Amino acid sequence: MSLLRPRAVRLIVGWELRRRLRRFTERTAQVLATAFAGIVITLALVALAVASFLAGREPGGEIVRAAAETVPAVVWLLAALLVGFRVLSSAADPDNRDGYLTTIPARELFAGVAVVESATVLLYVCLPVVVAGVAFAAGSGRPAAALTVSVAGAVPAGVGVATGLAVGFGARNLSARSRLVARLRVVLWLLLGIGYAAVFLTGQIDSALGPLVRGLTRPPFTWLADLALWPVVATQPGRGVVGAAALVVAGAVLFPVAARLATLLWYADGVETATEHGDGETTIDPGAWGAVADTRTAWVARVATTRARRAPVKLVFVAYPVFLLAPEITQVVETGRVPASLPSVVPLMAAWAGGAGFALNPLGDQGATLPVAVTSGVSGSASSAGR
């Protein structure tokens, strides 16, 4: 296998980043939401910096040691989950994929996608690690600790990215090649969403993820604690280096595996299900919606439900308002009393969920079919009703 061409990979990364930035800046609501999230994240980073600085003042404590052994596994798991979700939702289908594959090898396209996903995820995962490392070094008075803590966090993050890519592309291959999985895809996403919501609503996050994190808090992840704390306390740095090297080797194996799985997916002749081709029905057949609405409204409703069925991950946004109701619902369960704010909050959350279901703007999800939708003769009222 020939080596990658750095220039080709660099061009793909540049194009993909520009496209994502353009899509991001075109959505005012998303920009405002990100600005608000930035404020929250900044406050969280300040709190993390303070806690890390105080930990640096007492680097030999049991709490510091326990955190140093646990954090690498958490970083790996978080990076793997974020990348895996991205691959399952959208990253496996880059813009103009077919155009890329007719001009460059699939491995170079995968390398570009991997770099973009790594940069996006590592920004969220590695930035807190670096902030914690610098603050810990400042508290301990040992500048070298900033480097060792950052390395001890960056290595599992990188392996987590490789793990997420391999698992995500593996799952996408299974969906593309298995007729059973393709048919049950919506059901699987629904069960995953219900389980995800149930964990947060019941406050059982530790019960659900605790055993997993504790199971991962084993070598070679725990060995990275010796590397992170090397400059400030007596440790076994050799063991820490071996742990980091083992993870690097694992990442070096997982990246080619993910590249191969991506190639198989992109060149796969995917299975077809009855839900994708409607068993001979025409594209203007209103289906079951024709029994509850006029023909034009039913057309719009069928298109919306078909798109939701083909890309159910978009409906995850509907569940977000439920998380905001979690404190209110928890209070009802624990005290047996309905908070005074609940009757006014529920309609707001219901409106949010309804609007998120198929976008507030009925034309906002049309994409390339927008000209057809505008000139189809379907009135605005029928389009809104169908959505």
Side-chain angles (χ1 to χ4, degrees), residues 26 65 148 177 191 205 211 219 269 271 299 308 314 338 351 374-375:
E26 288 175 349
R65 178 69 192 191
T148 56
R177 298 171 184 276
L191 293 176
I205 300 177
D269 185 12
V271 298
W299 289 345
K314 293 182 179 180
V338 178
V374 173
T375 59

Side-chain angles (χ1 to χ4, degrees), residues 42-54 127-133 135-136:
T42 301
L43 295 176
L45 289 177
V46 171
L48 175 63
V50 173
S52 300
F53 180 84
L54 296 176
L127 181 59
V129 172
V130 173
V131 169
F136 183 80

Side-chain angles (χ1 to χ4, degrees), residues 218-247:
R218 301 178 183 277
F221 291 112
T222 54
W223 291 349
L224 294 177
D226 293 306
L227 177 62
L229 301 177
W230 179 16
V232 294
V233 296
T235 63
Q236 301 181 40
R239 188 170 64 177
V241 172
V242 170
L247 290 175

